[in-house]
Amino acid sequence: MVSLKRIQRDLVTANHILHFHSVLDAYGHISVRHPENAAVYLMSGDMAPATVSTADQLIQYRVNDSVAITLDAPRGYIERYIHGEVYKRFPDVHSVIHSHSEDVLPYAIAGVPLRAVYHTAGFVGYDPVPVYDIENSYNDTQPHDMLISTLALGADLAQTFVSPENAHATPQTVSPDTHLVLMRKHGFVTFGTDIREAVYKAVFAQSNAKVQTMAVLLKNAYSGLQDDNPRTWANGSDESSFEPLTRRQAKDTTAGMHAAGDRAWLLWTAEVESQPLYVNNVTVDTVEEAS
Ligand SMILES: [Zn+2]
């Protein structure tokens, strides 16, 4: 079993990596399930991810109600319910990330479907990434401030990870049906079976969105340059559309993702450890590391 210290050190490093790659800025967050107690998760207190550096800045919350397990815990993120409710709904999930990435945000606003467009982002999926619209969860008495600030809002968001055909299945699915959910006019949520997988998905979800946007812009610009351009490309696709991965390609590249993840984690860890902005003061016993 991975030790709590190891998890805490990796959680601090993950905060730094996600900031270094602009997945998180002053806002957004990552959490991880406690390695010895599945009913508890850890995430930093209310601070910018780049500045997280010590184990005592990591708050332990009960999955059941996202209340800190100690009375003297520092102030936490308002939107921790995103994390708690995804852990509650999906026992297989061990790390959750919420981001306001500006590369992904257009797909949470413009009504353009986000789909997997290249091989390291196959997990984004062949079907358009589902969009959670908080407006449908509000009642008139609540502030419409777009924040997942209650258990009920978190539960509605978590349910978006279940496909419509499984929504009323009994027993309920224990694993999400999609790796990514967009939050309309807000951001996105992804998860992992561990911290490394969650970080990989968050970074490449952002890259996939950037590449898809560039491909659509490039294709439309190229089409516009050709006066005698036929209205379809050689393969029959509409000239203004893009070509995502096929369903088979998305599925098979996702299956290969786990083998590739460690190389990315080791590179990204070395990057943040070389930057003076990022300080990780959580030490892991080397004897324990070797075991
Ligand atoms: Zn947010």
Side-chain angles (χ1 to χ4, degrees), residues 87 92-97 190-195 197-199 201:
Y87 292 126
D92 292 351
V93 169
H94 284 262
S95 184
V96 176
I97 295 172
T190 191
F191 67 89
T193 52
D194 58 25
I195 289 177
E197 184 185 303
V199 168
K201 287 183 188 169

Side-chain angles (χ1 to χ4, degrees), residues 20-291:
F20 186 76
H21 287 268
S22 303
V23 175
L24 306 180
D25 47 24
Y27 305 99
H29 16 81
I30 175 172
S31 65
V32 62
R33 207 187 277 270
H34 195 293
E36 295 150 19
N37 184 355
V40 170
Y41 66 95
L42 291 79
M43 68 189 304
S44 92
D46 186 12
M47 58 193 299
T51 63
V52 179
S53 61
T54 64
D56 59 11
Q57 291 168 331
L58 306 175
I59 303 172
Q60 297 191 26
Y61 292 105
R62 300 189 302 228
V63 167
N64 190 45
D65 54 10
S66 286
V67 170
I69 63 171
T70 57
L71 291 174
D72 60 348
R75 200 170 80 121
Y77 294 124
I78 292 170
E79 292 198 289
R80 61 186 178 276
Y81 303 101
I82 295 171
H83 302 254
E85 291 305 296
V86 170
Y87 292 126
K88 190 190 295 181
R89 180 68 184 76
F90 303 111
D92 292 351
V93 169
H94 284 262
S95 184
V96 176
I97 295 172
H98 167 52
S99 160
H100 308 150
S101 165
E102 291 179 12
D103 293 316
V104 179
L105 262 175
Y107 295 91
I109 296 166
V112 175
L114 177 64
R115 303 171 72 178
V117 295
Y118 75 115
H119 69 296
T120 53
F123 66 88
V124 173
Y126 176 77
D127 295 315
V129 175
V131 183
Y132 168 70
D133 189 348
I134 197 171
E135 194 63 26
N136 297 329
S137 300
Y138 280 140
N139 60 46
D140 284 345
T141 61
Q142 286 173 290
H144 292 208
D145 59 7
M146 310 301 287
L147 300 175
I148 304 293
S149 55
T150 68
L151 290 167
L153 290 171
D156 284 354
L157 170 60
Q159 186 62 24
T160 315
F161 281 93
V162 180
S163 65
E165 52 267 32
N166 288 334
H168 304 292
T170 307
Q172 292 196 316
T173 54
V174 293
S175 302
D177 293 320
T178 178
H179 294 269
L180 196 63
V181 161
L182 297 171
M183 299 164 69
R184 191 155 179 254
K185 306 177 191 176
H186 185 152
F188 76 86
V189 179
T190 191
F191 67 89
T193 52
D194 58 25
I195 289 177
R196 295 181 185 202
E197 184 185 303
V199 168
Y200 179 96
K201 287 183 188 169
V203 171
F204 281 107
Q206 175 177 261
S207 297
N208 186 87
K210 201 183 313 185
V211 171
Q212 181 177 326
T213 301
M214 291 305 297
V216 172
L217 291 174
L218 178 66
K219 193 163 183 178
N220 281 285
Y222 182 70
S223 302
L225 287 172
Q226 299 197 336
D227 292 339
D228 59 348
N229 187 41
R231 301 306 293 174
T232 57
W233 293 78
N235 65 4
S237 67
D238 180 87
E239 67 176 17
S240 63
S241 70
F242 60 97
E243 293 179 39
L245 295 190
T246 65
R247 190 179 292 281
R248 174 76 185 269
Q249 289 168 343
K251 179 170 175 283
D252 290 356
T253 53
T254 301
M257 170 179 67
H258 304 285
D262 277 359
R263 191 197 304 178
W265 173 264
L266 294 174
L267 168 65
W268 296 338
T269 298
E271 283 176 339
V272 295
E273 287 179 350
S274 73
Q275 302 289 319
L277 170 62
Y278 307 114
V279 177
N280 191 339
N281 285 326
V282 183
T283 54
V284 179
D285 188 334
T286 51
V287 175
E288 172 193 292
E289 275 279 78
S291 62

